[in-house]
Amino acid sequence: MERIIYRELKSTPQVWGLLALLGAFVAAAGAVVLYIEHYGHVVTGMNNQIVWGLPHVFAIFLIVAASGALNVASIGSVFGKVAYKPMARVSALLAIALLVGGLAVLVLDLGRPDRLIVTMTHFNFKSIFTWNILLYTGFMAIVAVYIYTQMQRGLPAYAVKVAGLAAFVWRLILTTGTGSIFGWLVAREAYDSAVMAPLFIVMSFVTGMAIFLLVVMGITTMTGRDFGAQLRTRLARLLAIFIAAVLYFTAVQHLTNMYAAEHWGVETFILRDGGIYTILFWGVQVLIGGLIPMAILFTPKLVKQARMVILASSLVIIGGFAQLYVIVVGGQAYPLDIFPGYEISSSFSDGVINAYTPNILEVILGFGGVALALAIVIIGTKFLRILPNSLSDANVSAKS
Amino acid sequence: MNITGLKPAGGCGGGCSSKKIGNESGAEMHRRDLMKSGAALATVTLAPGVTLMAMGSGVAAAPANPDTRWGLLIDAGKCPSDCSACVTACSDEHGWENNGLDTDPQWIRKVTVRNKTTGWENTMPVMCQHCEDPPCVDVCPTGASFKRADGIVLVDRHTCIGCRYCMMACPFKARSLVHEPVTDQKVATPRGSGTVEGCNMCVHKLDRGDGTTACVEACNATGNNAMIFGDMNDPESDISKALASYPSIELRADLGLNLGVRYQNI
């Protein structure tokens, strides 16, 4: 086994330039938050029918991806695959960074972001939101300890394993909690399903792995470090299996819902008559974000090419984003069935498909969260010994 | 000034932190009653001028009665499609305005229902249904969404963070986010940009002893008498007698939420 040497990123114009660019996105998002705080949510595209919009899609996407980004570390520490261990630190750092980025978007889109402290002084333990607050902060703490156990010399070997196992179990519970935000909404036909929790878990596997691949390939390319083709291909093949799992759970989600006649309306809406939501589901989520990248990554010749892995990972991210858009916004666009068996109408958009067009403020806020997450990764790898000098294939064949 | 140190039971329209008092146990209520009488006694000894205020606050400070279940019965058969007196009255009472935008709040709205197979059409007002087991209360992370002991579901606007999870959870679309800063607020109904609001069953009127709500008053004033308000736990109340005499339904009865608002003749 080759000795792994972790080194901070060097101070290069590329590193600082990238940080400056990300900083600009974060600053723009900060300005947007102040603007919304001053004028109210009336300046966004959200309204009293579509109460959660694009910022929530960004936030949930990042939060879900965060737990998935820990995959590589877990495979190394919990399942003892030596080849993955050199990537464990950056995997854990990326997990924290994505979670911080997602939470930032989520809390800054609150109607009263200035009252964030209230969420830490007033708890309602019947709310999955309350549990999520604890799960998210707990995740950051546990993964931080996990990184520490990896970086601190002199600790017994089991320390890493115990911390890694704790982080792994915690991330499964965390994503169960995120999926349950929707799974436990009894009032809305598009949600209210136990399958939401496992669906979100496999979604996290996919988006987290895709982001991990792009981030590691990006940083290693930018800094001239080696990222072995065999190692990359292994991760890419794993990504293909995860894509298949997401497609499976998505099929189960809709087939289960369709079996009940009372849900035909919402299913027909999403799958056939929903306009943008139907296009996003079949065209972007299933085809562009699912079948095409899966085909690329299951093709032995293509999966070995770095460019194809970049393409497939990018498509997976776009597909995952579309999937959450369909779930979050599409699920609200379909009207509530307050009077089953009746057609209804009112001044409050009862009985009609709710319209929503995200505006530029929401886009800037969302990308601010993405930029914040990436900036944390760059800063972390710049100042801490997170990334090995080389992620060569020397350890790929090593056994645990 | 409230020299007894007691918070009012909800005379601030649900905008104040009345939950602790609304939900407190009988033992706690007795203790508070004792404190209240002690405070009043002390003020009499100290300064007669203050005593008047102590007595005034004593009325507002009466805790929500856990033996009461305030409720509404709406007879859709008596609700003409061209009448929206209840909506106007609510808007006037609480200061919210619907100018036709998707971002405007609507505490109460007239809904037209049409049977898909028979074509039978009817209209009726829909507002917060004041569930016994409210999903909005279950999901609220800070407990800002809460139910008083007398069954009224409210939002504590001091602890609402504007996450809108209650709006996602409500089966009746009864909640609205205040999307822009509000001016010229009604004294009894504090509202705030970025917080969520909905029908509070005119809690300020009930707590001052009016025994009815603005929408019911307005409905009666039109002569339609389509709405009955009262204590559903009191078998002698008009609402209990009407509920016992004629068939009525709850919206989304399948959810098993035991609503405080019932409908007839849909």
Side-chain angles (χ1 to χ4, degrees), chain A residues 37-44 46-49 51-53 56 109-113 115-116 118-119 122-130 133 180-182 184-189 191 262 328 332 336-351 354-355, chain B residues 19-20 98 101-106 108-117 120 124 126 135 137-143 156-165 167-181 192-195 251-252 254-255 257 263 266:
Chain A
E37 168 81 349
H38 185 74
Y39 290 102
H41 270 67
V42 71
V43 296
T44 71
M46 291 174 278
N47 52 50
N48 278 324
Q49 324 306 329
V51 302
W52 286 353
H56 299 79
D109 183 66
L110 291 175
R112 293 296 303 263
R115 288 184 180 168
L116 183 60
V118 175
T119 61
H122 292 67
F123 296 101
N124 168 25
F125 286 106
K126 204 174 176 188
S127 168
I128 189 65
F129 251 24
T130 300
I133 292 164
S180 299
I181 290 173
F182 297 95
W184 294 357
L185 281 178
V186 296
R188 295 187 185 260
E189 296 168 50
Y191 311 136
E262 61 174 321
V328 176
Q332 295 173 80
L336 280 171
D337 196 11
I338 302 173
F339 293 84
Y342 293 88
E343 289 168 359
I344 65 171
S345 60
S346 78
S347 59
F348 205 42
S349 303
D350 283 298
N354 298 305
Chain B
K19 146 181 56 170
K20 300 289 186 296
N98 171 26
L101 297 174
D102 277 343
T103 47
D104 288 337
Q106 295 196 38
I108 179 173
R109 61 197 190 270
K110 280 294 292 288
V111 172
T112 303
V113 301
R114 183 177 173 278
N115 191 299
K116 284 176 188 169
T117 46
W120 168 255
M124 69 214 72
V126 173
V137 173
D138 289 346
V139 302
C140 178
T142 65
D156 181 340
R157 290 188 190 80
H158 292 298
T159 49
C160 174
I161 57 172
C163 73
R164 288 102 85 195
Y165 199 14
M167 298 171 73
M168 293 289 283
C170 176
F172 311 106
K173 235 165 62 161
R175 291 263 171 100
S176 299
L177 177 76
V178 183
H179 277 74
E180 41 195 332
S193 181
T195 62
L251 302 184
R252 292 302 307 269
D254 57 316
L255 297 175
L257 302 172
Y263 290 85
I266 288 183

Side-chain angles (χ1 to χ4, degrees), chain B residues 15-215:
Chain B
C16 298
S17 303
S18 52
K19 146 181 56 170
K20 300 289 186 296
I21 292 174
N23 289 339
E24 65 197 2
S25 66
E28 175 71 4
M29 284 159 56
H30 292 312
R31 195 161 65 241
R32 281 190 180 270
D33 289 342
L34 194 68
M35 285 163 59
K36 189 168 64 183
S37 58
L41 194 70
T43 50
V44 167
T45 316
L46 287 171
V50 186
T51 314
L52 280 172
M53 300 175 86
M55 290 169 74
S57 70
V59 174
N65 184 354
D67 297 328
T68 302
R69 172 94 198 268
W70 294 119
L72 270 169
L73 174 61
I74 297 165
D75 188 341
K78 294 179 181 173
C79 182
S81 60
D82 59 352
C83 178
S84 56
C86 54
V87 178
T88 309
C90 179
S91 172
D92 291 345
E93 183 72 28
H94 298 287
W96 58 267
E97 243 181 279
N98 171 26
N99 295 314
L101 297 174
D102 277 343
T103 47
D104 288 337
Q106 295 196 38
W107 290 26
I108 179 173
R109 61 197 190 270
K110 280 294 292 288
V111 172
T112 303
V113 301
R114 183 177 173 278
N115 191 299
K116 284 176 188 169
T117 46
T118 65
W120 168 255
E121 208 171 276
N122 218 339
T123 68
M124 69 214 72
V126 173
M127 70 295 280
C128 173
Q129 303 288 299
H130 298 279
C131 316
E132 185 180 32
D133 298 304
C136 60
V137 173
D138 289 346
V139 302
C140 178
T142 65
S145 189
F146 70 101
K147 188 181 66 151
R148 263 180 28 150
D150 53 8
I152 302 177
V153 177
L154 297 171
V155 180
D156 181 340
R157 290 188 190 80
H158 292 298
T159 49
C160 174
I161 57 172
C163 73
R164 288 102 85 195
Y165 199 14
C166 59
M167 298 171 73
M168 293 289 283
C170 176
F172 311 106
K173 235 165 62 161
R175 291 263 171 100
S176 299
L177 177 76
V178 183
H179 277 74
E180 41 195 332
V182 284
T183 51
D184 298 328
Q185 300 190 39
K186 303 284 179 182
V187 174
T189 310
R191 305 173 59 226
S193 181
T195 62
V196 172
E197 58 185 19
C199 161
N200 63 10
M201 252 186 195
C202 287
V203 69
H204 62 293
K205 287 168 69 67
L206 298 180
D207 283 344
R208 73 181 179 217
D210 287 10
T212 188
T213 64
C215 56

Side-chain angles (χ1 to χ4, degrees), chain A residues 242-327:
Chain A
F242 290 160
I243 297 171
V246 165
L247 289 172
Y248 166 76
F249 274 98
T250 303
V252 170
Q253 174 202 2
H254 289 288
L255 286 171
T256 306
N257 226 12
M258 274 196 289
Y259 203 77
E262 61 174 321
H263 295 145
W264 288 352
V266 70
E267 286 301 325
T268 308
F269 173 68
I270 296 289
L271 301 179
R272 196 186 70 194
D273 303 331
I276 182 69
Y277 305 106
T278 303
I279 293 168
L280 285 174
F281 179 82
W282 290 110
V284 183
Q285 177 188 331
V286 175
L287 184 66
I288 296 176
L291 296 175
I292 292 177
M294 191 169 68
I296 291 172
L297 299 176
F298 272 136
T299 307
K301 255 190 182 175
L302 298 180
V303 74
K304 290 174 185 159
Q305 299 174 22
R307 265 195 231 164
M308 283 296 145
V309 174
I310 291 172
L311 175 67
S313 298
S314 304
L315 293 179
V316 160
I317 288 169
I318 293 167
F321 195 85
Q323 180 163 19
L324 278 171
Y325 194 91
V326 171
I327 290 174

